[in-house]
Amino acid sequence: MKLKETPNYDGPALEQAAECLKVLAHPARIRIVQLLLRGRYTVGELAEDCGIPSNVASEHLRLMQRCGFFVSEREGRSVYYSVAEPHLNKIMDCIEGRFFQS
């Protein structure tokens, strides 16, 4: 049986994809993504919704921002996070379709 032709991605691209998917693999991070796909929020707002301390939410955001998922913008004394990766919506559609349908 012959395998269907697929693009032959190099090792570094596959490693980066795997690393970023691992970063998403946490309940609080999935919730943060859900929230940020619907608007921009501060660390405190995200932490409160997720039921986690602000310093833990900051660490989650830092990891996801390092993968290019989010950007931050300072407004006065507040820092707001928003989605930077346009494909995050498609990833969340897959997750929600598989795990959150009643």
Side-chain angles (χ1 to χ4, degrees), residues 23 26-29 32 50 52-66 70:
V23 166
H26 187 283
R29 294 179 197 150
I32 289 170
C50 293
I52 58 177
S54 289
N55 64 317
V56 174
S58 289
E59 180 63 16
H60 288 311
L61 287 162
R62 185 188 67 74
L63 289 171
M64 291 188 286
Q65 197 169 16
R66 194 175 69 205
F70 305 135

Side-chain angles (χ1 to χ4, degrees), residues 44-100:
E45 292 168 330
L46 294 166
E48 184 177 336
D49 184 273
C50 293
I52 58 177
S54 289
N55 64 317
V56 174
S58 289
E59 180 63 16
H60 288 311
L61 287 162
R62 185 188 67 74
L63 289 171
M64 291 188 286
Q65 197 169 16
R66 194 175 69 205
C67 279
F69 293 149
F70 305 135
V71 293
S72 59
E73 181 181 353
R74 180 172 292 280
E75 284 186 15
R77 297 185 65 167
S78 298
V79 176
Y80 287 89
Y81 289 84
S82 59
V83 172
E85 171 54 62
H87 296 101
L88 255 182
N89 199 32
K90 292 177 186 176
I91 294 170
M92 282 309 299
D93 284 347
C94 290
I95 292 169
E96 290 173 348
R98 171 63 173 88
F99 297 102
F100 300 126

